[in-house]
């Protein structure tokens, strides 16, 4: 095993003991409504459980008007209280650095607001749309790309125009793919989601529906058999989950993902490359291996968007390229996500790859493999006319 790999990152799926809640909380632990009611969302809740640094205390006070803090007990229990740099803690506990906007940062880094034909519907690519169903999540990621509107405490609010959005989809026949996101769509009740999916499924040109959700990680208890049975009626339906660190893949998460996979829902994962969370080959490798064991295919690794107050969580692009180089060829191809940058201002997702194409000369290319060895691959040779004539003669000889 890689010596730099902490012991809890290997293939073990640990169900962490609820060390931060009284023992009788265990009676309610698998009830997702209890999990939602008992989220850690105030400074006093947080300070009662963790010894906060000054940077975190100030971060929580500042977050109240930007992006709310909220952490499900399930996810909170993954925090290592002995480790102030815990990668779980860094994702959900606000820090003072969030209060500073670096000059390259924006409230709307991917230019979504200017690509909304109807409020709540982002139409950037010709054949697919992003449909924002809600501004709420089970827990809030501190690097949220939509922190300008998500959680409802910032200056901007999501005001999805439901009827206008459905009518836009019904009358725009080149849209064949709808991505439901927000916020987290799986926070809606089964009945409400069923109605939305039924209405979308009634549109003949919509072939493919997917849901982006971090609920299987933040609140795996929400993935009930009833929810899976409802989702199953709306195939072909895919789900993209969001996992950044192998420790997030607990026993509960693995079981929840198994229920979704058993309902025939293909699962992909989207990770965000985050400083101090998953910015090493060792952590990424452990993550993608555990994802495959949960029947989840790593889909995208995102360079962190230029969101306001995110500079302490962002890495250089070169670090992301180095991670892909450390994966490609060194592990299963199924385990390697596509590294992408969502073009600042609205370019869409741009794939970023290590350079394996070293040179293109007339007639051949020079390639580099994962071990750094070089290979030539020539273009096809034209068949010489004399060879062609010879083969014609030979064929004629056969038929006489
Ligand atoms: C990410 C995204 C999509 C889906 O992109 P894929 O590459 O097909 O996964 C669609 N619309 C918007 C606005 C997006 O940001």
């Amino acid at each position: 095993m890689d010596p730099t790999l902490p012991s809890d990152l290997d293939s073990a799926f640990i169900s962490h003991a609820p060390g931060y809640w009284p023992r009788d909380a265990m009676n309610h632990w698998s009830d997702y409504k209890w999990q939602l009611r008992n989220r850690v969302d105030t400074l006093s809740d947080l300070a009662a459980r963790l010894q906060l640094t000054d940077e975190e205390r100030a971060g929580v006070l500042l977050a109240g008007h930007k992006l709310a803090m909220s952490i499900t007990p399930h996810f909170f229990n993954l925090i290592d209280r002995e480790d102030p740099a815990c990668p779980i803690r860094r994702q959900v506990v606000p820090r003072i650095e969030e209060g500073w906007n670096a000059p390259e940062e924006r409230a709307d880094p991917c230019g979504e607001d200017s690509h909304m034909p109807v409020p709540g519907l982002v139409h950037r690519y010709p054949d697919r749309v992003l449909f924002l169903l809600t501004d709420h999540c089970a827990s809030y990621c501190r690097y949220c790309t939509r922190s300008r509107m998500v959680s409802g405490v910032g200056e901007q609010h999501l005001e999805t125009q439901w009827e206008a959005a459905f009518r836009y989809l019904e009358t725009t026949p080149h849209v064949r793919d709808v991505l439901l996101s927000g916020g987290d769509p799986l926070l809606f009740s089964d009945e409400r989601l069923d109605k939305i999916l039924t209405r979308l499924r009634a549109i003949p040109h919509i072939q493919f529906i997917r849901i982006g959700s971090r609920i299987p990680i933040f609140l795996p208890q929400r993935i009930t058999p009833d929810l899976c049975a409802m989702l199953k009626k709306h195939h072909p339906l895919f789900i993209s989950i969001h996992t950044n660190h192998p420790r997030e893949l607990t026993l509960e998460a693995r079981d929840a993902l198994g229920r979704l996979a058993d309902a025939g829902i293909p699962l992909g994962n989207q990770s965000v490359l985050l400083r101090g969370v998953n910015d090493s080959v060792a952590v990424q490798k452990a993550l993608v291996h555990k994802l495959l064991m949960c029947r989840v295919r790593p889909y995208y690794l995102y360079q962190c968007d230029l969101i306001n107050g995110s500079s302490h969580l962002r890495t250089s692009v070169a670090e992301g390229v180095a991670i892909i180089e450390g994966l490609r060829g060194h592990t299963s191809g199924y385990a390697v996500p596509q590294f992408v940058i969502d073009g600042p201002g609205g370019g869409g997702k741009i794939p970023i790859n290590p350079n394996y194409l070293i040179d293109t000369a007339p007639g051949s290319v020079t390639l580099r493999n994962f071990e750094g060895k070089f290979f030539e691959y020539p273009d096809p040779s034209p068949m010489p006319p004399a060879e062609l004539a010879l083969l014609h003669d030979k064929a004629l000889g056969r038929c006489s």
Side-chain angles (χ1 to χ4, degrees):
M1 206 173 93
D2 189 324
T4 61
L5 205 60
S7 59
D8 68 337
L9 296 189
D10 64 15
S11 56
F13 291 86
I14 298 161
S15 186
H16 288 256
Y20 296 101
W21 271 263
R23 189 174 275 275
D24 67 350
M26 273 317 278
N27 300 334
H28 312 281
W29 201 256
S30 58
D31 173 357
Y32 76 85
K33 289 180 180 160
W34 181 89
Q35 289 278 341
L36 287 172
R37 277 198 308 275
N38 285 276
R39 284 181 286 186
V40 174
D41 54 10
T42 65
L43 181 56
S44 58
D45 272 359
L46 185 68
R49 293 184 165 84
L50 279 185
Q51 190 165 359
L52 297 179
T53 64
D54 290 345
E55 289 74 20
E56 289 170 330
R57 192 173 289 276
V60 177
L61 293 169
L62 294 169
H65 302 289
K66 281 192 71 179
L67 173 70
M69 173 181 71
S70 184
I71 313 167
T72 56
H74 170 86
F75 199 74
F76 199 94
N77 255 358
L78 306 181
I79 295 175
D80 178 356
R81 53 154 70 84
E82 311 298 328
D83 178 12
C86 168
I88 302 295
R89 183 172 178 154
R90 257 178 101 69
Q91 293 184 61
V92 289
V93 174
R95 294 185 54 84
I96 195 166
E97 292 90 332
E98 288 178 26
W100 179 63
N101 298 339
E104 68 275 16
E105 294 174 346
R106 305 277 177 272
D108 179 16
C110 305
E112 293 181 336
D113 293 342
S114 57
H115 286 80
M116 287 196 193
V118 172
L121 210 57
V122 185
H123 194 174
R124 170 172 354 273
Y125 300 104
D127 69 337
R128 55 209 192 277
V129 297
L130 175 64
F131 193 174
L132 304 177
L133 302 191
T134 171
D135 58 359
H136 280 63
C137 291
S139 298
Y140 294 110
C141 308
R142 303 321 303 170
Y143 48 88
C144 176
T145 193
R146 271 176 223 117
S147 60
R148 69 189 184 281
M149 57 165 95
V150 158
S151 89
V153 302
E155 280 169 22
Q156 226 176 299
H157 290 274
L158 175 68
E159 278 158 1
T160 300
Q161 302 285 311
W162 293 95
E163 203 43 47
F166 283 122
R167 241 176 269 137
Y168 180 85
L169 294 173
E170 283 158 358
T171 55
T172 313
H174 51 278
V175 172
R176 41 160 288 284
D177 172 357
V178 178
L179 165 50
L180 305 178
S181 184
D184 201 314
L186 296 186
L187 271 189
F188 279 3
S189 69
D190 295 1
E191 294 69 31
R192 187 152 185 214
L193 272 174
D194 193 18
K195 269 194 195 136
I196 293 167
L197 290 167
T198 302
R199 176 113 187 230
L200 292 174
R201 273 286 165 241
I203 304 173
H205 52 266
I206 294 179
Q207 302 169 351
F208 180 59
I209 300 177
R210 38 183 168 160
I211 299 175
S213 174
R214 207 178 182 188
I215 287 269
I217 299 300
F218 280 149
L219 188 64
Q221 298 81 2
R222 169 69 185 99
I223 310 299
T224 60
D226 282 350
L227 174 69
C228 297
M230 183 278 289
L231 293 174
K232 203 179 160 156
K233 296 189 299 177
H234 300 286
H235 275 313
L237 176 76
F238 283 42
I239 291 183
S240 291
I241 67 163
H242 172 183
T243 319
N244 294 321
H245 190 276
R247 204 189 297 162
E248 297 167 34
L249 292 164
T250 57
L251 277 175
E252 291 90 340
R254 186 182 64 177
D255 291 348
L257 294 165
R259 289 192 286 278
L260 291 169
D262 284 345
I265 301 169
L267 302 171
N269 183 64
Q270 314 197 89
S271 289
V272 181
L273 178 55
L274 296 168
R275 172 165 309 290
V277 173
N278 57 13
D279 53 342
S280 73
V281 173
V283 170
Q284 289 284 343
K285 208 186 244 185
L287 172 65
V288 294
H289 289 172
K290 281 185 89 174
L291 284 165
L292 289 188
M293 285 189 279
C294 293
R295 300 197 267 169
V296 181
R297 166 81 158 95
Y299 180 47
Y300 285 143
L301 172 64
Y302 288 92
Q303 176 67 17
C304 189
D305 289 332
L306 300 171
I307 189 72
N308 278 340
S310 66
S311 55
H312 60 300
L313 287 169
R314 285 188 280 118
T315 66
S316 67
V317 173
E319 287 167 90
V321 172
I323 284 170
I324 300 300
E325 283 215 55
L327 295 177
R328 175 62 67 196
H330 300 278
T331 187
S332 324
Y334 268 113
V336 185
Q338 174 65 58
F339 182 42
V340 291
I341 300 182
D342 216 327
K349 295 172 187 74
I350 301 168
I352 308 297
N353 294 303
N355 191 18
Y356 296 110
L357 183 59
I358 302 300
D359 193 25
T360 54
S364 83
V365 293
T366 306
L367 307 169
R368 176 179 66 92
N369 83 345
F370 73 106
E371 300 160 309
K373 294 181 183 153
F374 293 98
F375 299 86
E376 295 281 318
Y377 183 90
D379 289 342
S381 307
M383 198 180 217
E387 291 287 340
L388 197 63
L390 219 63
L391 285 169
H392 272 303
D393 288 351
K394 203 166 156 187
L396 277 174
R398 293 250 162 96
C399 75
S400 57

